[in-house]
Amino acid sequence: MPDLPRTAPTLLGFLTWGPMSGYDLKKVIDGSTRNFWSESYGQIYPTLRRLLERGLVTRSDESGDSARKRHVYAITEAGRDELRRWLEVAPERQPPRVEILLKLFFGNQMSCARAIEYVETYRAELTDELERYGEMRPLLERASDNDRAPRFWLMTLRYGERNCEASIAWCDEVLAELADLEQDDPHRD
Amino acid sequence: MPDLPRTAPTLLGFLTWGPMSGYDLKKVIDGSTRNFWSESYGQIYPTLRRLLERGLVTRSDESGDSARKRHVYAITEAGRDELRRWLEVAPERQPPRVEILLKLFFGNQMSCARAIEYVETYRAELTDELERYGEMRPLLERASDNDRAPRFWLMTLRYGERNCEASIAWCDEVLAELADLEQDDPHRD
DNA sequence: GGTCTCATGTAAATAGTTACATGATTAT
DNA sequence: ATAATCATGTAACTATTTACATGAGACC
């Protein structure tokens, strides 16, 4: 079974938390791994169907008395095996695409004012992100008292925090540098 | 002309450095923006054709005496306009996909030894990357004495350095934490 | 009655990688 | 000779987003 999309192990991983619908999975992913791994409905639903076909999940149709249409998926033993196999494969790095850096790379061809605007916006986004991490942290810390799993979630949170902080510091440095460049040659462009 | 791929402005940006072939562009991109923006041949060649069709570049076939088949592309005024238009559009953030974090997120379902192995590999890759930045830095610094453009390139380099350093520090922190977890429960898998 | 959230799914477009085919030239 | 590099390009596949279609139940 070599042709499962990358979304497959992700969904299997989340389904170890308990049976869920595609809709639930989307919400749970958005609330946890969004900053380093996200999935859209366009990937989730087709992947669930393929997981079902391969017997890696089961589907129960919750449509009894008054319940609305809802497909709840549960991981099977074969699904757990597949997940474990995936966890044994060394992860690969994929270079990100950071559009602001690309524009800044060609920054000589735009006004410093514009570049400053972009960096300021970026900084504001990072600050928001860092704040969200700050809200999440105490919840995870409390949860990790009696459970081992949240300690791993905290590691990924820490990654976000550290990189956010580094990027914010970078913004400040670059904003100073851009202000300098603007001073040197204020009538340019 | 609303249907140009994202690769288009990238190529136009590099062509402001001077006329180049698709092969040259690939090398130049690999040598400069690779860590935050890379392109493959499968994107470069088809995009060059589309840029040519729209008159954003011109092509001269260098196949005179003994020269091998080689298409050299040069940016046109319309191409410069298109590039400037693109630079005026605010960049958008796209969340990266960091597979190691996804695996670590489900780390409770694998052995600590395996997780440690992954983080160590990741750390080694980051160290290499940081070293490459260190080699590049003096070249750019020297170049920025008499030219404004390298100062922008240095800004993007600084981004890589800061984030690399942050990630390396994170690796060390996580490695300690994983060693802890392994101590707590050495026979777990 | 209207809007919000729940809920499922598909279609189309865009993005991007990888592998392949081809062949010339240059260095060992 | 033969391996590496120069050089162009395409095809097939994989990945991913976005927008749309649909409709029920909950809340105001």
Side-chain angles (χ1 to χ4, degrees):
Chain A
M1 44 187 112
D3 54 323
L4 278 167
R6 294 201 296 171
T7 303
T10 311
L11 300 185
L12 290 174
F14 280 102
L15 287 176
T16 62
W17 294 9
M20 269 184 266
S21 67
Y23 191 81
D24 293 336
L25 280 163
K26 171 71 172 148
K27 270 192 307 179
V28 158
I29 292 169
D30 281 349
S32 58
T33 63
R34 177 169 85 272
N35 292 292
F36 58 85
W37 201 273
S38 57
E39 302 290 357
S40 62
Y41 286 125
Q43 279 166 285
I44 291 172
Y45 284 113
T47 302
L48 281 173
R49 187 157 43 81
R50 297 177 69 177
L51 289 173
L52 187 62
E53 282 162 13
R54 278 155 207 266
L56 304 181
V57 299
T58 56
R59 182 169 84 174
S60 65
D61 290 43
E62 272 186 16
S63 352
D65 40 313
S66 87
R68 61 178 74 167
K69 180 172 78 169
R70 193 177 139 82
H71 299 154
V72 175
Y73 297 84
I75 191 167
T76 63
E77 255 324 301
R80 283 180 201 277
D81 283 349
E82 182 67 29
L83 175 63
R84 274 188 287 262
R85 249 196 310 283
W86 173 76
L87 284 168
E88 290 300 309
V89 178
E92 270 173 60
R93 273 184 90 191
Q94 38 187 95
R97 299 208 152 213
V98 190
E99 201 188 335
I100 192 176
L101 292 185
L102 186 61
K103 291 202 170 165
L104 211 53
F105 189 82
F106 296 119
N108 202 25
Q109 290 169 68
M110 63 172 154
S111 71
C112 280
R114 190 52 53 114
I116 287 169
E117 186 192 311
Y118 294 165
V119 177
E120 274 170 350
T121 302
Y122 188 55
R123 194 190 189 286
E125 288 165 4
L126 290 165
T127 307
D128 285 354
E129 194 182 320
L130 193 56
E131 205 184 315
R132 281 200 309 279
Y133 292 147
E135 286 160 13
M136 226 179 290
R137 173 167 277 283
L139 301 172
L140 290 182
E141 276 171 348
R142 227 167 300 140
S144 65
D145 286 343
N146 34 328
D147 192 0
R148 214 176 85 126
R151 293 181 68 174
F152 289 95
W153 308 341
L154 272 167
M155 291 180 209
T156 67
L157 184 74
R158 192 84 191 97
Y159 183 95
E161 287 173 338
R162 280 195 183 267
N163 277 277
C164 247
E165 282 158 7
S167 295
I168 289 170
W170 172 82
C171 286
D172 291 335
E173 190 185 333
V174 163
L175 285 170
E177 167 92 2
L178 287 170
D180 248 35
L181 276 168
E182 209 175 20
Q183 281 288 309
D184 287 359
D185 203 353
H187 299 303
R188 205 174 176 289
D189 203 302
Chain B
M1 43 186 112
D3 53 323
L4 278 167
R6 294 201 296 170
T7 303
T10 312
L11 300 185
L12 290 174
F14 280 102
L15 287 176
T16 64
W17 293 10
M20 270 184 266
S21 67
Y23 191 79
D24 293 337
L25 279 162
K26 170 72 172 150
K27 269 192 308 178
V28 158
I29 292 169
D30 281 349
S32 58
T33 64
R34 178 170 83 269
N35 293 291
F36 58 85
W37 201 273
S38 57
E39 303 288 358
S40 63
Y41 287 125
Q43 279 167 286
I44 291 172
Y45 284 113
T47 302
L48 281 172
R49 186 156 44 80
R50 297 177 69 177
L51 288 172
L52 187 63
E53 282 161 14
R54 278 156 208 263
L56 304 180
V57 299
T58 55
R59 182 169 83 174
S60 65
D61 290 43
E62 270 186 17
S63 347
D65 40 311
S66 86
R68 62 177 73 163
K69 180 171 79 169
R70 192 178 139 83
H71 299 154
V72 176
Y73 296 84
I75 191 168
T76 63
E77 255 323 301
R80 283 180 202 277
D81 283 349
E82 181 67 29
L83 175 63
R84 275 188 287 261
R85 249 196 310 283
W86 172 77
L87 284 169
E88 290 300 308
V89 178
E92 271 174 60
R93 273 184 91 189
Q94 37 186 96
R97 300 207 154 217
V98 190
E99 202 187 334
I100 192 177
L101 292 185
L102 187 60
K103 292 202 169 164
L104 211 53
F105 189 82
F106 297 119
N108 202 25
Q109 291 170 66
M110 64 173 153
S111 71
C112 281
R114 189 53 53 117
I116 287 168
E117 185 192 312
Y118 293 166
V119 176
E120 274 170 350
T121 302
Y122 188 54
R123 194 190 189 288
E125 287 165 3
L126 290 165
T127 307
D128 284 355
E129 194 181 320
L130 192 57
E131 204 185 314
R132 280 200 310 279
Y133 293 148
E135 286 160 13
M136 227 179 289
R137 172 167 279 282
L139 301 172
L140 289 182
E141 276 171 347
R142 228 166 300 138
S144 66
D145 287 342
N146 34 326
D147 193 359
R148 215 177 85 126
R151 293 183 65 174
F152 289 94
W153 309 340
L154 271 167
M155 292 180 209
T156 66
L157 184 74
R158 192 84 192 96
Y159 183 95
E161 287 172 340
R162 280 196 183 268
N163 277 277
C164 247
E165 282 159 7
S167 295
I168 288 170
W170 172 82
C171 287
D172 291 335
E173 190 185 332
V174 164
L175 285 170
E177 168 93 1
L178 286 170
D180 249 36
L181 277 169
E182 210 175 19
Q183 281 287 311
D184 288 0
D185 203 354
H187 299 303
R188 204 173 179 292
D189 192 299

